Every structure is written in C-alpha cells, then in structure tokens.
Amino acid sequence: MAFLSKEYLTALEELAPVSQPVIPHVNVRTQFRAIGTPEGVVDYHFLIEQGVITGAGRGLLDNCDLTITAAYRDLVDFQAGELHAATAFVTGQFAVTGDKAKLLELMVVLQSGYYHQFTAELWARTAR
C-alpha cells in the first residue's frame, strides 16, 4: 500500500487502539497537509483520544486543534524514524497553525516511542 493512501490510513486506524498505551488528558484533533506527494497535495487527519490514535483518514477535519503542513519527503523521513518530531517542528519542516498547547499533547504521542513501535510493521509493507 502507498504511504498516506486511504488503505494506509485505515490500517493505521485499525492498529492504533490495540498497540498504544492510554495517556490520560491527551486529546488532539490534527489536520495534516502533505505537499509534494506523488498525488500532489494530500490532506489527512488523526484523531487522538487519551493518547491513542482513534481515527485517521483522508480529507479535511472539522474543528481541528492543529494544522500541520509538511513536505512529503519530510513525512516519509519522520515515519521511517530518520527525522525526529521535535527537530521537524523546531526547524519549521513541520509548519504548525492552531492551538500550540495541543502541539505539546501531540508531541507526547509522537515522542513516546510507541508511535514508531506500533507503526513499524505497517511501515515495512508500505510503498514510498
């Protein structure tokens, strides 16, 4: 399956609840905009409830807390574990608009180690 395809995001959504620990009070509705993908611009989103990705899909999300815009290559590097989330945010590789307090909550999830752990198998069968 292709990275950021509907199939990829569906598989991510299905894996998340069984593979991530609950982190109370971490609830974030995140809109992503990937630019420079093989398909052009791709909008997708994550719904995080108690630290667990409970929803993922293509398209625009109503009432998002954050919007993150990033180059496709940077998103691939992040997913492959070659780009650290904090580095991407500090250097502007991941441009953020919205509630900065929610960015801290998102970082708890992305930097917990569990995110890459539970996506490793999915990433291994993903075309980039």
Side-chain angles (χ1 to χ4, degrees):
M1 77 188 84
F3 179 54
L4 301 183
S5 67
K6 181 180 179 188
E7 294 78 20
Y8 176 87
L9 293 168
T10 298
L12 177 68
E13 182 179 73
E14 290 170 356
L15 279 174
V18 298
S19 304
Q20 289 186 284
V22 169
I23 306 170
H25 311 296
V26 174
N27 303 294
V28 188
R29 298 170 58 84
T30 307
Q31 179 69 54
F32 291 89
R33 174 161 270 212
I35 56 175
T37 80
E39 298 176 51
V41 174
V42 172
D43 293 308
Y44 65 103
H45 56 271
F46 288 172
L47 304 174
I48 298 173
E49 296 176 9
Q50 295 190 7
V52 175
I53 296 172
T54 59
R58 282 250 181 138
L60 298 174
L61 185 62
D62 291 330
N63 302 316
C64 64
D65 298 312
L66 295 169
T67 299
I68 298 170
T69 303
Y72 178 76
R73 184 76 245 158
D74 292 336
L75 291 165
V76 168
D77 289 348
F78 169 72
Q79 195 59 45
E82 297 168 8
L83 175 63
H84 194 269
T87 301
F89 288 115
V90 169
T91 62
Q93 289 171 277
F94 290 1
V96 180
T97 58
D99 184 345
K100 301 298 191 229
K102 290 294 185 177
L103 176 58
L104 296 175
E105 290 184 34
L106 178 64
M107 292 297 289
V108 168
V109 174
L110 297 181
Q111 294 188 123
S112 69
Y114 290 102
Y115 178 81
H116 288 294
Q117 225 174 17
F118 91 82
T119 60
E121 184 273 330
L122 176 60
W123 187 244
R125 56 188 173 104
T126 300
R128 312 165 235 328

